[in-house]
Amino acid sequence: MRQIDIGITPENRTAIAEGLKKLLADSYTLYLLTHNFHWNVTGPQFRELHLMFEEHYTELAVAVDDVAERIRTLDVIAPGTYKAFAALSSIKEVDEVPEASQMVEILTGAHEQVVKTCRTVLVVAQEAADESTASLVSDRMRIHEKTAWMLRAML
């Protein structure tokens, strides 16, 4: 393949991609957590939470693809294994099946963590004048902030 020449130095592309790898890992871990809770939620809010969690994991499925493809656009290999995601993610996996209200609380914290990861990556992208990554990360941040707000409103 031809050498990449998109106006971002190799060092900056690597730094941005490293941040995006963490965002990808956090997003994928959140996707799995949300899908797990979708399958296993019970209680009086079952239908509402079951449907909401489905909306969230469906949106996240597209998001992880967008983030991984941005990493590849920067000419860096995107992580794609559970092992790699576990090593990179700031979000802790949940082994048990918590009650519905705990699920909402756990997901709220996880979305807030993704926002923090976005903020870190955004600074690196902005310093490198990488508007494409900055736009992607900014959009992701907005979605996770809104989702966290909606989840918090249920608590």
Side-chain angles (χ1 to χ4, degrees):
M1 190 156 71
R2 189 177 161 303
Q3 187 75 9
I4 185 172
D5 182 18
I6 59 173
I8 303 170
T9 68
E11 297 77 22
N12 284 339
R13 284 189 292 107
T14 299
I16 294 163
E18 289 305 311
L20 286 171
K21 286 179 185 182
K22 291 177 182 177
L23 178 58
L24 178 61
D26 281 356
S27 299
Y28 200 86
T29 303
L30 178 55
Y31 166 83
L32 289 173
L33 190 60
T34 305
H35 213 151
N36 176 24
F37 290 173
H38 164 78
W39 289 327
N40 293 300
V41 68
T42 60
Q45 291 183 296
F46 167 77
R47 181 165 172 70
E48 180 181 0
L49 291 176
H50 183 76
L51 294 173
M52 182 174 63
F53 294 164
E54 183 175 12
E55 290 172 7
H56 293 176
Y57 77 70
T58 300
E59 193 280 328
L60 282 161
V62 174
V64 296
D65 196 54
D66 289 344
V67 174
E69 288 179 354
R70 183 63 193 158
I71 294 168
R72 292 300 298 136
T73 300
L74 294 170
D75 202 31
V76 175
I77 299 296
T81 65
Y82 294 126
K83 183 178 178 181
F85 291 148
L88 289 165
S89 183
S90 307
I91 297 171
K92 303 294 179 222
E93 293 184 87
V94 176
D95 293 326
E96 70 283 349
V97 177
E99 294 179 12
S101 63
Q102 291 174 304
M103 289 178 176
V104 172
E105 194 153 334
I106 291 166
L107 290 174
T108 300
H111 280 278
E112 290 173 341
Q113 178 55 54
V114 175
V115 171
K116 291 183 232 177
T117 301
C118 285
R119 289 188 188 288
T120 302
V121 179
L122 185 59
V123 170
V124 177
Q126 289 172 331
E127 288 174 354
D130 179 359
E131 291 302 317
S132 296
T133 298
S135 177
L136 171 66
V137 172
S138 179
D139 288 346
R140 296 301 323 144
M141 188 166 49
R142 179 183 46 79
I143 289 166
H144 290 286
E145 286 174 340
K146 184 175 181 179
T147 303
W149 161 62
M150 291 182 165
L151 289 166
R152 274 192 312 274
M154 298 183 78
L155 296 172

